Amino acid sequence: MTKIAQARRSGRIRRHRRVRKKIYGTATRPRLAVFRSNKHLSVQVINDDDGVTIAAASTTEADIRGAGSTASVDAATKIGQLVAERTKAAGVTQVVFDRGGFAYHGRIAAVASAARDAGLEF
């Protein structure tokens, strides 16, 4: 790993730790955690009290991966809608958003707005 890549990664981890000091998922309001890589995006709804993942969606799933690019805002919108549907099917309507140390822009913002439009409350 180059020094620049290492600095970016350590900066994101520091930001994520700072965000996680304030954000905690409970059974009534779990945490919607987003992870973004260069190729893919994964989203989980996590109950931190029990350490359980309630719902998850990722661009590595076969139906999303076959539909085109997985590193785009369109793919992030599909993932946001999918995780919202799965979360509501599990009986949860309110979540707290964990951007994972990433800037609230582009794919991260697309996931949040698609989940809001699909019926999740932040």
Side-chain angles (χ1 to χ4, degrees):
M1 186 181 289
T2 65
K3 288 204 177 254
I4 293 172
Q6 190 173 10
R8 286 183 181 157
R9 186 176 193 292
S10 65
R12 185 196 74 81
I13 290 171
R14 259 186 285 132
R15 284 189 302 276
H16 191 196
R17 286 185 185 144
R18 189 169 56 233
V19 167
R20 282 298 312 278
K21 285 179 189 176
K22 299 174 186 174
I23 295 177
Y24 188 80
T26 61
T28 57
R29 192 168 174 167
R31 175 172 56 98
L32 186 121
V34 179
F35 177 76
R36 176 183 62 85
S37 72
N38 287 338
K39 287 186 179 181
H40 294 288
L41 186 75
S42 66
V43 180
Q44 294 179 324
V45 178
I46 304 167
N47 177 357
D48 288 321
D49 286 337
D50 300 333
V52 176
T53 299
I54 297 168
S58 176
T59 55
T60 59
E61 296 176 12
D63 55 343
I64 302 293
R65 197 175 21 173
S69 175
T70 58
S72 65
V73 172
D74 293 334
T77 303
K78 290 177 188 174
I79 293 298
Q81 293 170 347
L82 186 62
V83 78
E85 291 170 6
R86 292 178 181 175
T87 303
K88 287 185 349 187
V92 176
T93 58
Q94 290 187 336
V95 294
V96 60
F97 189 70
D98 178 10
R99 61 187 176 89
F102 299 104
Y104 189 82
H105 180 73
R107 289 186 279 166
I108 304 297
V111 168
S113 65
R116 270 192 212 102
D117 293 341
L120 285 184
E121 295 177 26
F122 287 30

